[in-house]
Amino acid sequence: MSEATIPAVPVSFHRAEEDLPFVPYQDGITFQLLQVDLEVGLWVVRIRAEPGVAFQKHRHTGQVLAFTLSGSWRYLEYPEINTAGSYLYEPAGAVHTLIVPDSNEGITDIWFAITGANLDLDSNGDVETVLDAATVLEIYRAQCKAFGHPAPDVIGA
Amino acid sequence: MSEATIPAVPVSFHRAEEDLPFVPYQDGITFQLLQVDLEVGLWVVRIRAEPGVAFQKHRHTGQVLAFTLSGSWRYLEYPEINTAGSYLYEPAGAVHTLIVPDSNEGITDIWFAITGANLDLDSNGDVETVLDAATVLEIYRAQCKAFGHPAPDVIGA
Amino acid sequence: MSEATIPAVPVSFHRAEEDLPFVPYQDGITFQLLQVDLEVGLWVVRIRAEPGVAFQKHRHTGQVLAFTLSGSWRYLEYPEINTAGSYLYEPAGAVHTLIVPDSNEGITDIWFAITGANLDLDSNGDVETVLDAATVLEIYRAQCKAFGHPAPDVIGA
Amino acid sequence: MSEATIPAVPVSFHRAEEDLPFVPYQDGITFQLLQVDLEVGLWVVRIRAEPGVAFQKHRHTGQVLAFTLSGSWRYLEYPEINTAGSYLYEPAGAVHTLIVPDSNEGITDIWFAITGANLDLDSNGDVETVLDAATVLEIYRAQCKAFGHPAPDVIGA
């Protein structure tokens, strides 16, 4: 097929590291929201965590691809330790608690592409909060505003 | 590229209507589970509903493609009525209550491809149950067994 | 989570059978394009084929979900015959030639959800044409115009 | 829902940087294949490129998520320069030529999650080669063998 017949060659969407701010997610954790696809339920996010923090135990309803840039972390439920260059694939249905060891020096920096929702679980295993592309976008926009940044130009938002 | 260099041409997976039984899901509703992809979180299911039934209000964490084969139904939250030949696309985050009118004659028959989870909501909007590829597969296997069918050969299971 | 905190409950998108016309694709085949997601590469299409027609041999770069509404068809490369109520799942990489038997009576009617491209192959196995969400949308719009229909309201277009 | 009712909590799949070797892809480029999902058509790959190399112009049939770890690169067709921390989202249908500037010092290191096929285009815009999850897996296995590595434990293979 000649390229001339390709009806619409779409552009690509680039964000440099400094194009989107890191803002607080919870104590000791900041995040940068790079992309959402609200119809599909995709969210692409980068997390920076200080030593000793943890994320609430959650269950995923879709797949997660995770690439670690620096630092060290693991899921309480699995033995593998993720360090710089580690790749982690989490299928739909995975349930886990992300922990960053106290003994770390410096920041743990992780890039995630998440499809679907994180169902945050309470101690009974009941769903306490639903974190998905739409809710994360809302949190990111609110935190950017609260910390004096302009409205963030998240891909797909 | 010559076909000779294609490393592995995968087969396709066919299920005739009678290959997988319809079993009760709830009063007035039977279902046939055609496919699961447990890693992705996909489930392909066909539903047959008698007049007057409803599904619990739920929120989707991923996309739904729905094709109606016969009968009539709608979501309480939207005006459109699905009949034979209707196609419905539901983005991630959709919240709705499927109702089949009392006034229907005959069975309402719908084919769904669902990615992610149905978060069944109670009257406060809290998540009561999580229905996903893995839980639906478990329910389908249990109902096949309970109703005297052999272990069902669901694609991907 | 209270529903009040759900930031944006998206609507769903309904198309009744008569909302989008069936237009000629090739001799003996008409089609209705229901949805495209140009970014993801998804296209949802319904095909009506007369007895004795065939589609050019092609290779898929993504998954296909196919549900048969009436008639009879198969792939030249596989033995299974699809009839009303048949479900067929084709993984990425599948290569096949869709044929509708001469001996059929009446129309063969199939609903497909296709991700990625159909790479139409010539007799050497080389790629002759690339059929994807964008090209199918262009063909559908052109055929609707050529046959006197208004611009079709394809979901996602 | 109590966790006790979750039928199967799947494990996650971790690969440390040293678990899978970087092997030559073409002159000046090595790669590490982290994951394939042959049914979906997903391939997750990390590329290391020396200054001055380029990839053949290609068209994508699905989405690409790209995160740059070090160095500098761009597509000939777009102005944006990807450097450490850059995120790039390429929709289905994107057509481009990856170039790594001559003036770079050190290695350009990029992580990609690719769905569907790369259709490598000749100077007429015709499809010369199809690179997808299955073909990349075959190339990776062959190169690992050729360079004296054990059979690589690619996720999903």
Side-chain angles (χ1 to χ4, degrees), chain B residues 1 10-15 17 35 59 67 69 78 81-82 85-93 111 125-126, chain C residues 1 10-15 17 35 57 59 67 69 78 81-82 85-93 111 125-126:
Chain B
M1 188 177 62
V11 298
S12 290
F13 301 89
H14 173 263
R15 294 294 178 271
E17 192 170 276
Q35 180 179 13
R59 179 182 178 188
F67 189 84
L69 303 166
Y78 319 133
I81 295 170
N82 291 262
S86 280
Y87 173 64
L88 191 76
Y89 165 60
E90 310 169 12
W111 180 98
D126 290 322
Chain C
M1 188 177 60
V11 297
S12 291
F13 301 90
H14 173 264
R15 295 293 179 271
E17 193 170 277
Q35 179 179 13
K57 185 172 183 171
R59 178 184 179 187
F67 189 85
L69 305 167
Y78 319 132
I81 296 170
N82 290 261
S86 280
Y87 174 64
L88 191 76
Y89 165 61
E90 310 169 11
W111 179 98
D126 290 321

Side-chain angles (χ1 to χ4, degrees), chain B residues 1-3 6-17 32 34-35 37 42 44 46 57 59 63 65-67 69 75 78 80-96 111 113 121-122 124-127 155, chain C residues 1-3 6-17 32 34-35 37 42 44 46 57 59 63 65-67 69 75 78 80-96 111 113 121-122 124-127 155:
Chain B
M1 188 177 62
S2 151
E3 269 180 79
I6 297 176
V9 176
V11 298
S12 290
F13 301 89
H14 173 263
R15 294 294 178 271
E17 192 170 276
Q32 176 192 51
L34 292 157
Q35 180 179 13
D37 184 330
L42 171 72
V44 179
R46 190 167 156 195
K57 185 172 184 171
R59 179 182 178 188
Q63 295 188 339
L65 315 183
F67 189 84
L69 303 166
Y75 287 115
Y78 319 133
E80 293 91 352
I81 295 170
N82 291 262
T83 57
S86 280
Y87 173 64
L88 191 76
Y89 165 60
E90 310 169 12
V95 178
H96 45 225
W111 180 98
L121 304 176
D122 66 17
N124 294 321
D126 290 322
V127 177
I155 298 170
Chain C
M1 188 177 60
S2 151
E3 268 181 79
I6 297 175
V9 175
V11 297
S12 291
F13 301 90
H14 173 264
R15 295 293 179 271
E17 193 170 277
Q32 176 192 49
L34 291 157
Q35 179 179 13
D37 184 330
L42 171 73
V44 178
R46 190 167 155 195
K57 185 172 183 171
R59 178 184 179 187
Q63 294 188 341
L65 316 183
F67 189 85
L69 305 167
Y75 288 116
Y78 319 132
E80 293 91 352
I81 296 170
N82 290 261
T83 57
S86 280
Y87 174 64
L88 191 76
Y89 165 61
E90 310 169 11
V95 178
H96 46 226
W111 179 98
L121 303 176
D122 66 17
N124 294 322
D126 290 321
V127 177
I155 298 170

